[in-house]
């Protein structure tokens, strides 16, 4: 996957989480070694199989890849877009979570980006994606995320899309005035 990305030459790669499967230090060491070959800038979001502290430690050589703080959020301007990465994990829990603290952080970033388009990235889709097994893990706090997105729209901002992983399948759904798009995993696929 890294070799193929290097052939394509993206301007930026956002890994939407589950950097490893079991959260072990050796797994993170291997992931860091593999991803060190990536030529493009990298941003990592944790998935439900990740452990924030171990992920940060493994990618210490690329501090821009994993944000510091209680959550691994990021926000940056990039080629006319605002890119926002949301940490939606509750360590040890499969389902996604979006709390008041995260909602306040997002609302502030969306307010700052109110005059242009925004892409949001997260591990968990905030809504059911039409995949019965994965939809059984209900995202907690989806109403807070929807309110932040709709509040940005009222101020003239536009969230073009929420790019996610987690469901290990290609799926799209209109939700909260935007499009939630899940991408297939590079490993296990869920039909």
């Amino acid at each position: 996957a890294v070799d193929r990305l290097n052939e394509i030459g993206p301007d930026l790669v956002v890994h939407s989480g589950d950097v490893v499967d079991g959260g072990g230090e050796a797994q993170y060491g291997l992931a860091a070694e593999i991803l060190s070959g990536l030529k493009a800038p990298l941003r990592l979001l944790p998935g439900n199989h990740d452990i924030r502290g171990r992920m940060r430690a493994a990618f210490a050589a690329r501090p821009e890849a994993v944000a510091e703080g209680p959550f691994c959020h990021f926000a940056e301007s990039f080629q006319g877009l605002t890119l926002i990465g949301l940490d939606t994990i509750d360590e040890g829990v499969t389902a996604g979570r979006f709390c008041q603290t995260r909602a306040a952080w997002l609302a502030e970033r969306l307010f700052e980006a109110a005059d242009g388009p925004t892409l949001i990235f997260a591990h968990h889709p905030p809504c059911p994606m039409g995949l019965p097994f994965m939809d059984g893990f209900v995202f907690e706090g989806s109403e807070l995320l929807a309110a932040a997105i709709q509040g940005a729209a009222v101020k003239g901002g536009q969230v073009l899309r929420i790019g996610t992983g987690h469901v290990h399948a290609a799926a799209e759904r209109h939700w909260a005035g935007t499009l939630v798009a899940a991408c297939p995993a590079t490993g296990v696929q869920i039909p």
Side-chain angles (χ1 to χ4, degrees):
V2 168
D3 290 344
R4 182 67 182 121
L5 283 169
N6 286 337
E7 287 174 18
I8 295 168
D11 295 313
L12 177 73
V13 172
V14 177
H15 190 306
S16 64
D18 285 350
V19 175
V20 301
D21 186 47
E25 290 178 18
Q27 290 179 342
Y28 281 111
L30 181 57
E33 180 184 328
I34 291 167
L35 289 170
S36 71
L38 184 65
K39 294 176 185 173
L42 175 65
R43 303 293 178 267
L44 298 173
L45 293 170
N48 55 288
H49 290 270
D50 290 311
I51 297 172
R52 290 181 191 99
R54 289 182 182 165
M55 191 168 77
R56 284 185 179 120
F59 288 89
R62 290 180 92 164
E64 73 288 352
V66 187
E68 289 296 326
F71 301 110
C72 298
H73 300 317
F74 70 84
E76 58 190 79
S77 295
F78 192 82
Q79 298 186 1
L81 296 168
T82 296
L83 305 179
I84 296 175
L86 297 177
D87 177 339
T88 58
I89 70 165
D90 191 2
E91 285 185 0
V93 177
T94 300
R97 182 163 188 260
F98 195 72
C99 60
Q100 288 284 356
T101 302
R102 295 178 235 212
W105 183 90
L106 176 60
E108 189 175 321
R109 303 293 95 60
L110 289 172
F111 178 77
E112 293 167 356
D115 61 346
T118 298
L119 295 174
I120 294 177
F121 301 91
H123 178 68
H124 299 91
C127 57
M129 297 300 287
L131 304 161
F133 174 72
M134 294 306 286
D135 289 347
F137 302 104
V138 178
F139 187 94
E140 181 184 331
S142 61
E143 71 285 351
L144 296 172
L145 181 52
I149 290 168
Q150 291 163 344
V154 168
K155 296 177 181 107
Q158 184 182 14
V159 175
L160 300 175
R161 182 167 298 187
I162 301 174
T164 71
H166 186 60
V167 297
H168 295 248
E172 293 183 330
R173 177 165 181 203
H174 289 280
W175 177 82
T178 190
L179 182 68
V180 178
C183 64
T186 55
V188 175
Q189 302 302 305
I190 297 177

